[in-house]
Amino acid sequence: MATIKDVAAQAGVSISTVSHVLNRTRKVSASARARVEQAVQELNYAPNSVARSLKVNNTRTIGMLVTTSVHPFFAEVVQAVEDLCFELGYSLILCNTENQPERQLMHLRMLLEKRVDGLLVICTDTPPSLTELLQQQPKLPLVMLDWSRDNHFADIIHDNADIGGYLAGKYLLEQGHRDFACITGHLHKGTSRLRLDGFTRALAEAGLRLPPEHIIEGDFESESGYQAMQQLLRQQARASAVFAFCDTMAFGAICAITQAGLRVPQDISVIGYDDVNMARFTSPPLTTISHPKRTLGRWALELLLKRIKEKDHQPEQLELKPRLVVRESVCPPGSRD
């Protein structure tokens, strides 16, 4: 098996130059870099990452706890993090928690054993047991996504979900709607409460209220959007516009409306949240609130790397601004064209 000395000898450079090329720790001339890379390829050299991490006290590995990488929203955030990790020469260990406390704790302990350089957490449920364990790791660089503003031990990125809910309500009002329904996520979660608060605030400014029976709790999955919409369709007083708290639930709602022999948006308008990639390709294309997922992922990793490098780094809070994306799933009530 080839060693770093073999690579240096074949490339005609010092061992330290080979190290700088492999670890991207110092600028190396283009010709020297090319010789090193060619020698690495010809010798099939694979650095001993364990030995390296013991020597320099870092692994160039990032851990990430995520609810589920299958859901379109989380998948796009993860892709942004992974792309930037690749650009910067870091490895990413991705752990799906499925919002199960025992899995969260098991994965966190595993990541600590792997001696990751830092940790990203994007879990929609964060039980006290996980928070307590994170607080017990004061030396572990940590960035939380969309967590409470009362969190003082980690860097936080907020999505301003109340603003997103307000934008959805204002747009539906501008289109002439006066009868609304919401398919929410779990209402014990802060993000769901904030989106609902923003939406109802927009209605209150217009002198309107959201009937309690028109607030149906979902779970951010398409099946719950489908079931919730069926429940709304059975009600005697039918809403002319539905705000689904994520695009996947909006997809389920549109399916239920179509199966009932109704049309979107002519009979019922639907607005979603997140602006996942597939929102452009539904029938009709989905009007939604854009949650900048790639920005969210890249900001999170950039903030984490800053925290890793700056040992005296003070926790920061960054703000993302949602925006309205108008497509074809909303129109004024009563439109028949």
Side-chain angles (χ1 to χ4, degrees), residues 39-60:
V40 166
Q41 185 175 359
E42 291 175 352
L43 295 172
N44 292 321
Y45 172 69
N48 188 328
S49 59
V50 175
R52 177 191 174 280
S53 66
L54 292 172
K55 182 177 180 180
V56 301
N57 198 31
N58 68 65
T59 61
R60 295 191 70 81

Side-chain angles (χ1 to χ4, degrees), residues 106-178:
M106 180 191 72
H107 285 315
L108 178 56
R109 292 191 178 103
M110 179 271 292
L111 292 171
L112 293 173
E113 290 173 3
K114 297 287 187 183
R115 301 177 67 226
V116 295
D117 294 341
L119 180 65
L120 298 175
V121 178
I122 178 169
C123 294
T124 51
D125 276 341
T126 48
S129 55
L130 177 61
T131 304
E132 290 170 8
L133 188 55
L134 290 170
Q135 287 179 303
Q136 293 168 13
Q137 315 299 324
K139 294 184 179 180
L140 178 67
L142 175 66
V143 172
M144 321 293 293
L145 281 66
D146 300 340
W147 267 39
S148 165
R149 296 174 189 269
D150 297 328
N151 183 347
H152 299 296
F153 67 92
D155 290 296
I156 310 166
I157 298 178
H158 300 292
D159 71 343
N160 284 301
D162 54 334
I163 295 176
Y166 182 82
L167 290 174
K170 286 290 288 184
Y171 180 66
L172 293 176
L173 286 164
E174 290 168 359
Q175 294 299 302
H177 292 278
R178 294 295 180 268

Side-chain angles (χ1 to χ4, degrees), residues 37-98:
E37 291 174 347
Q38 183 177 354
V40 166
Q41 185 175 359
E42 291 175 352
L43 295 172
N44 292 321
Y45 172 69
N48 188 328
S49 59
V50 175
R52 177 191 174 280
S53 66
L54 292 172
K55 182 177 180 180
V56 301
N57 198 31
N58 68 65
T59 61
R60 295 191 70 81
T61 301
I62 301 299
M64 186 172 187
L65 294 180
V66 63
T67 299
T68 172
S69 58
V70 175
H71 191 283
F73 169 77
F74 292 113
E76 291 178 36
V77 175
V78 169
Q79 184 179 20
V81 171
E82 191 170 30
D83 287 348
L84 187 54
C85 278
F86 179 79
E87 290 176 23
L88 299 177
Y90 279 81
S91 298
L92 179 68
I93 301 178
L94 177 64
C95 300
N96 288 282
T97 69
E98 304 298 339

Side-chain angles (χ1 to χ4, degrees), residues 31 42 61 64 72 85-86 147 183 193 195 199 249 252 273-274 331:
S31 60
E42 291 175 352
T61 301
M64 186 172 187
C85 278
F86 179 79
W147 267 39
I183 302 175
R193 293 301 315 176
R195 291 178 188 178
F199 188 80
M249 291 195 299
Y273 202 110
D274 288 336
C331 72

